[in-house]
Amino acid sequence: MDDMDLDRLDSPAPDWDALQDDRFRLEVRDWLRANCPPHVRFPAGRMHWHECRDWWERLYRKGWIAPAWPRELGGMGLSPYKQVIMAEELERHGCGRMPDQGITQVGPILVRYGTPEQKAWYLPRTLSGEAIWCQGYSEPNAGSDLASLQTTATEDGDDYVIEGSKIWTTLAMDATHMYLLARTGRGTRKQEGISFLLLDMRAPGLVVRPIRNIAGDAEFCQVFFDRVRTPRSNLVGAAGQGWAIAKSLLGFERLGIGSPRRPQLAFARLQQLAAARGLFDDPVFMERFTALRLDILDLSATYESFVEQVRRGEPLGPDVSLLKVWATEVMQRCSELMIEGGDEHAAFAGTVDVDGSPVNVLAPFYSSRPGTIYGGSNEIQRNILAKAVLGLPQ
Ligand SMILES: Cc1cc2nc3c(=O)[nH]c(=O)nc-3n(C[C@H](O)[C@H](O)[C@H](O)COP(=O)(O)OP(=O)(O)OC[C@H]3O[C@@H](n4cnc5c(N)ncnc54)[C@H](O)[C@@H]3O)c2cc1C
């Protein structure tokens, strides 16, 4: 363990969950104001590790890197509602998302399904940022229909030998480890025979190829496995239990993706552009602008009613899917109106001078595109709403 870990362990972690909700919110807000460095606020895209490492370490030293983890494992031990408060304050402050899949996904899975050895090895390293994780689920022919995945892991002595490929793996180029789903057997249903494995990205035979997106950034990658070995001790849960393990994470965190904060920010940019270009005098623009504003206000009110449900300690039902559809699509509509309103300025990437005001006209368009695809595409969310909420026939 390095000095940073010792610093952290020397000071007993306060019980943040015991604070009254409003007091906790203010405490978080004040600390973020004083400690969050400007370079991690409102980034244009996903932050790479080298861009946010200092911020991660600051949160880690404070004991705030893992709000949902139990306190005895180095987390904050927050109740679901306090986790929502924490997420809202980070979002309000514009703190960009870090390579946090180890914290949000691997940690909770290991806490529930990991062996004592897996917990002892991986959890402290995940907290400190020594282990940075990427998610190896999607494949070239398995996205929405994830259970069709074809990557195999075959037992060979003390190892599994992995063959196949994963795609759209966010920040794989920064990751030291991957958690992945691979086929260790076959059953009558395609969900059977899938296992959940952990893998060191430095294993021989593993190749990471970054993919450049429409905005010119490489945020995700394709990863190839040519007889890549991982010890059998890196199997999480039982062989063939991977599908159930991966699904077990679907919970109240689905709320975050439907938060109104990002549409609100896109709308604020639209407002800035409209002011600079004198668009408020155009009745056709005003009609669409007002419709968007009302849509975002409705989204905020609906979001609050789900947050209230979490505060009461109630589980969220399938109807929470409507938030994701609403938030991501209203944000796309804001970005499209911005392009129309920006006229010739929308032809340029980066911040441009719009009639005397600096505006990045294209940024909301680019950043809102993936939202309707990841986290379960919006068509899949509509299927859920149709089936589980409206009771429509298949
Ligand atoms: C920015 C970004 C980051 C990502 N990061 C990761 C990551 O880190 N790790 C990872 O494993 N994956 C990641 N993904 C992949 C993501 O999970 C998949 O893109 C998603 O599951 C959709 O799968 P697909 O791209 O194969 O599209 P497909 O599943 O092939 O879908 C194509 C189209 O068909 C529609 N469709 C599919 N099935 C149905 C249906 N039954 N009914 C109606 N419409 C349907 C979809 O909605 C979509 O419009 C990321 C994706 C993006 C955009």
Side-chain angles (χ1 to χ4, degrees):
M1 278 199 169
D2 59 18
D3 291 346
M4 198 171 68
D5 297 272
L6 291 174
D7 277 356
R8 183 57 198 91
L9 294 180
D10 277 351
S11 49
D15 185 0
W16 299 105
D17 204 47
L19 284 186
Q20 202 217 342
D21 292 338
D22 288 348
R23 166 109 198 276
F24 175 69
R25 189 183 284 281
L26 289 180
E27 187 101 23
V28 174
R29 196 174 290 177
D30 287 348
W31 190 83
L32 290 178
R33 245 189 237 131
N35 290 280
C36 177
H39 65 266
V40 302
R41 297 189 63 201
F42 302 105
R46 280 296 293 262
M47 289 191 292
H48 285 273
W49 177 237
H50 69 271
E51 296 170 305
C52 59
R53 185 183 179 148
D54 56 338
W55 175 224
W56 180 295
E57 288 173 355
R58 205 175 289 188
L59 279 167
Y60 170 69
R61 259 185 251 126
K62 175 76 176 163
W64 283 8
I65 197 70
W69 292 23
R71 285 173 73 209
E72 62 276 16
L73 294 174
M76 293 174 81
L78 295 184
S79 66
Y81 182 58
K82 283 236 172 44
Q83 289 173 46
V84 171
I85 294 180
M86 184 90 186
E88 284 179 349
E89 290 307 315
L90 286 162
E91 226 182 6
R92 178 193 302 274
H93 202 69
C95 302
R97 189 165 166 208
M98 295 196 276
D100 58 4
Q101 310 228 43
I103 300 293
T104 58
Q105 311 259 313
V106 182
I109 282 178
L110 289 184
V111 168
R112 186 151 166 204
Y113 299 99
T115 61
E117 293 75 22
Q118 287 169 345
K119 288 182 197 173
W121 177 261
Y122 287 115
L123 293 181
R125 287 167 176 78
T126 300
L127 280 176
S128 68
E130 194 183 325
I132 296 293
W133 295 86
C134 63
Q135 181 194 61
Y137 285 4
S138 304
E139 296 184 6
N141 292 311
S144 303
D145 183 17
L146 184 59
S148 297
L149 61 89
Q150 294 300 324
T151 293
T152 53
T154 313
E155 283 181 41
D156 182 32
D158 288 339
D159 296 336
Y160 278 106
V161 178
I162 303 170
E163 297 225 56
S165 173
K166 296 290 174 181
I167 198 165
W168 316 127
T169 319
T170 298
L171 299 178
M173 67 287 268
D174 291 359
T176 59
H177 291 78
M178 174 186 274
Y179 59 104
L180 75 152
L181 293 176
R183 206 161 270 294
T184 48
R186 303 218 171 245
T188 41
R189 290 170 64 243
K190 57 190 174 181
Q191 288 82 357
E192 291 169 17
I194 292 175
S195 296
F196 191 103
L197 290 163
L198 310 175
L199 172 68
D200 189 323
M201 296 289 279
R202 289 165 304 190
L206 187 151
V207 173
V208 175
R209 186 171 64 84
I211 302 171
R212 203 160 281 283
N213 66 19
I214 190 176
D217 301 323
E219 289 181 0
F220 43 38
C221 304
Q222 184 161 8
V223 182
F224 300 89
F225 309 99
D226 180 10
R227 295 194 56 76
V228 173
R229 287 182 172 267
T230 194
R232 281 171 63 176
S233 56
N234 273 342
L235 171 72
V236 180
Q241 207 194 347
W243 189 256
I245 292 177
K247 295 277 271 189
S248 70
L249 272 185
L250 281 181
F252 72 91
E253 58 270 20
R254 284 181 296 163
L255 201 59
I257 203 163
S259 151
R261 179 61 57 182
R262 294 185 73 218
Q264 282 163 354
L265 279 174
F267 188 78
R269 285 216 175 103
L270 174 64
Q271 207 162 359
Q272 184 194 357
L273 175 92
R277 305 221 66 217
L279 294 173
F280 294 131
D281 297 330
D282 174 350
V284 176
F285 174 86
M286 274 311 285
E287 190 181 322
R288 293 172 68 188
F289 181 82
T290 309
L292 282 172
R293 184 167 156 69
L294 292 175
D295 239 6
I296 294 171
L297 285 172
D298 284 345
L299 168 67
S300 307
T302 310
Y303 169 81
E304 284 307 328
S305 72
F306 282 105
V307 169
E308 193 51 31
Q309 212 172 314
V310 173
R311 200 183 62 75
R312 289 196 302 267
E314 295 168 14
L316 292 172
D319 51 340
V320 73
S321 285
L322 71 86
L323 278 185
K324 195 232 161 178
V325 173
W326 198 339
T328 52
E329 293 183 7
V330 76
M331 185 161 158
Q332 289 189 346
R333 287 201 299 280
C334 280
S335 74
E336 285 155 13
L337 186 56
M338 191 145 170
I339 286 186
E340 285 180 47
D343 276 339
E344 71 277 12
H345 301 292
F348 298 100
T351 303
V352 290
D353 181 80
V354 179
D355 305 331
S357 285
V359 186
N360 191 332
V361 184
L362 275 177
F365 181 78
Y366 285 145
S367 65
S368 65
R369 288 301 103 186
T372 51
I373 304 170
Y374 62 61
S377 76
N378 283 21
E379 288 76 18
I380 297 299
Q381 305 298 333
R382 283 188 162 91
N383 285 350
I384 293 171
L385 291 167
K387 210 167 115 184
V389 180
L390 300 175
L392 297 177
Q394 293 264 22

